[in-house]
Amino acid sequence: NGTVTSATDTKTVTATQSAARTIGKSVTETSYSAVGTILHYSFLVTNSGNTTLAGPFTVSDDQATNESCPTTTSLAPGASLTCTASYTITQADLDLGHVTNVASASNGTVTSPTDTKTVNATQSPALSIVKSVTETSYSAVGTILHYSYVVTNSGNVTLSGPFTVSDDKAADESCPVTASLA
């Protein structure tokens, strides 16, 4: 009251800290059609909690091996950073028809839920054939002409056998037993 001062009294209210992180994954390419195509991924890592998170931050992707995040010492609530990775398409990916991968972000103590992206292949199965004949001419009825055929997988996916040839002049076409043709 200006003359008398009371003793102090202290009260502590504890904050409910909710450390959380989210990841939003995107990919530049919408499809692929060839072995060696590189898919370029971006990961938007956001502090979706209410406390500042200490760095460093990492991304883990089940397909990529070159994940990279900028060096960041901390991430305030609501703040984001962008990490990157890439993946090179294999023949197995082309044959399967898609690449699906899963990623999460972490700072070593808080890990985000996972995010998944799928990129579909543009499959183009195709066969080509080149026919040749041993004889260059004939002069008598009953002459036998000997044909051979080179069958090539000219598409971008592995084809399953068996393979057959149909010739309008022959009745004994045959192909070796082949389970698949790359």
Side-chain angles (χ1 to χ4, degrees):
N1 67 357
T3 313
V4 179
T5 302
S6 71
T8 60
D9 189 14
T10 303
K11 197 48 105 172
T12 301
V13 178
T14 304
T16 302
Q17 294 181 326
S18 300
R21 167 161 308 133
T22 59
I23 187 171
K25 184 176 184 178
S26 62
V27 60
T28 305
E29 295 73 22
T30 57
S31 66
Y32 60 91
S33 62
V35 171
T37 299
I38 298 174
L39 302 180
H40 299 89
Y41 293 99
S42 292
F43 311 93
L44 183 63
V45 178
T46 303
N47 180 347
S48 57
N50 65 1
T51 60
T52 299
L53 297 172
F57 300 93
T58 60
V59 166
S60 176
D61 187 300
D62 71 338
Q63 297 288 338
T65 59
N66 62 350
E67 302 94 314
S68 176
C69 291
T71 302
T72 306
T73 57
S74 65
L75 199 59
S80 299
L81 60 92
T82 300
C83 302
T84 60
S86 62
Y87 177 73
T88 303
I89 296 299
T90 66
Q91 185 64 52
D93 298 324
L94 202 49
D95 291 344
L96 181 61
H98 66 275
V99 170
T100 298
N101 61 356
V102 181
S104 63
S106 179
N107 71 340
T109 56
V110 178
T111 301
S112 72
T114 59
D115 192 13
T116 302
K117 282 290 177 206
T118 298
V119 179
N120 292 315
T122 302
Q123 294 178 316
S124 302
L127 285 173
S128 63
I129 188 169
V130 175
K131 181 178 180 179
S132 60
V133 62
T134 305
E135 298 73 24
T136 57
S137 66
Y138 64 93
S139 60
V141 173
T143 300
I144 298 175
L145 303 178
H146 298 89
Y147 296 106
S148 63
Y149 313 91
V150 176
V151 178
T152 302
N153 180 347
S154 56
N156 68 353
V157 293
T158 302
L159 299 174
S160 298
F163 298 92
T164 60
V165 170
S166 176
D167 189 315
D168 67 342
K169 297 293 184 193
D172 60 349
E173 308 93 27
S174 68
C175 292
V177 176
T178 305
S180 64
L181 196 56

